[in-house]
Amino acid sequence: MSYAFTFPGQGSQTVGMGQELASQFPEARAVFAEVDEALGQSLSKIIWEGSQEELTLTANAQPALMAVSLATIAVLKAKGLDLATTAKFVAGHSLGEYSALAAAGTFTIADTARLLRTRGEAMQAAVPVGEGAMAALLGLDFDAAMQVAEEAAQGEICQAANDNGGGQVVVSGHKAAVERACELAKAKGARRAVMLPVSAPFHCTLMQPAAEKMAEALANVQMQDPCVPLVANVLAAPITSADDIRTRLVEQVTGTVRWRESVSYMVGAGASTLVEVGAGKVLSGMVRRIEKSAATAALNSAEDIDAFVEAVNAAS
């Protein structure tokens, strides 16, 4: 049995996530405390007691999802499961790439929290509210969605932001261009084209100011080579050097999240089970649509963790 560990992105956040782990395991509590201290605020209070609206703010959701993922990793470690010897690859969807890198030792938890707060604020500030938008095109393959985005641009920005597999591609850019893409997609046979309730047009060139901020932030943080290869969003291929990772994280702000290709790469390279670490089961659903032969496991609770550790031990 060979495992790849995957880490969710924005959209998986729910109020109360991670609270059960924090109540049962001091190792999980320590992760949330470290994130709170690094940010100089009680983010854990927002995660467990705040409103969904407050938690969904980009600057909160990004470090919050990372905290839950890393608390899960801390519990796995406490139960004797070591990422370096268990995982063949790590990968994360958009902000989840930072969680994956923290789990693999490239960043400290505190540095990851600060980087994600900076990233969230920079992405929010890059485009005035109302000027940008994102939409999910359902029922078109990636090449067809790319063509739709290109035709819809008409001198504005419209790009494929996320290739999520299973005929789901998210486009991002100027609001009018994204609206045109929805109409074009329907005309080209898309089952649905849905405008997404997001606060900014992520993963397109409108995010260039945020990419510049992240280049500066990443230049000033200490990084180690990961203990497990990272399958990078912008490459859909593994990288192992801290310098290369720094470059790819900057590119990721404006580049396409190549999730479909990343999943296919990991499965093709021998990862038979893709383990979703943290909040929700969004990535597990995507994996099943992309690679039907792959097994999935979502670690959302202490019960999930126990079952996974038992399965790993039984297979070894």
Side-chain angles (χ1 to χ4, degrees), residues 63-306:
L65 284 161
M66 180 277 296
V68 176
S69 289
L70 270 292
T72 306
I73 289 289
V75 175
L76 286 170
K77 196 178 286 187
K79 290 179 176 287
L81 196 148
D82 178 44
L83 188 79
T85 55
T86 308
K88 191 175 179 71
F89 303 108
V90 292
H93 195 284
S94 190
L95 84 89
E97 197 152 76
Y98 286 81
S99 307
L101 288 164
T106 293
F107 300 122
T108 65
I109 290 171
D111 281 343
T112 312
R114 287 188 285 263
L115 284 168
L116 284 172
R117 171 57 55 82
T118 298
R119 184 177 183 268
E121 289 175 345
M123 290 171 100
Q124 190 63 65
V127 180
V129 172
E131 281 189 18
M134 299 179 80
L137 310 183
L138 307 176
L140 292 184
D141 66 20
F142 185 64
D143 289 343
M146 288 267 286
Q147 194 179 351
V148 163
E150 205 172 298
E151 284 181 35
Q154 296 179 19
E156 293 186 309
I157 300 299
C158 188
Q159 287 173 244
N162 301 340
D163 179 10
N164 288 333
Q168 186 196 99
V169 180
V170 175
V171 294
S172 180
H174 287 109
K175 189 176 181 211
V178 172
E179 288 170 343
R180 286 193 293 272
C182 288
E183 294 311 308
L184 275 167
K186 288 173 194 167
K188 288 181 185 288
R191 283 198 318 279
R192 290 174 70 206
V194 187
M195 298 294 284
L196 297 176
V198 295
S199 53
F202 306 130
H203 299 292
C204 75
T205 53
L206 291 175
M207 289 285 116
Q208 187 55 36
E212 287 162 15
K213 284 233 168 54
M214 288 314 297
E216 189 182 330
L218 287 159
N220 291 315
V221 74
Q222 193 169 14
M223 295 174 65
Q224 309 295 328
D225 292 346
C227 66
V228 175
L230 171 81
V231 177
N233 284 181
V234 296
L235 296 177
I239 50 177
T240 55
S241 123
D243 287 341
D244 198 4
I245 287 165
R246 185 180 281 112
T247 300
R248 303 308 176 184
L249 287 175
V250 175
E251 290 175 1
Q252 188 230 59
V253 179
T254 57
T256 304
V257 175
R258 295 168 61 183
W259 193 250
R260 172 181 57 86
E261 294 169 273
S262 295
V263 168
S264 292
Y265 175 85
M266 290 186 283
V267 173
S272 55
T273 302
L274 274 69
V275 183
E276 185 168 3
V277 183
K281 299 181 180 181
V282 171
L283 299 184
S284 297
M286 288 183 193
V287 168
R288 286 192 291 273
R289 289 196 300 270
I290 296 164
E291 290 287 345
K292 292 183 171 54
S293 67
T296 59
L299 308 186
N300 295 153
S301 65
E303 194 180 343
D304 294 338
I305 291 169
D306 283 341

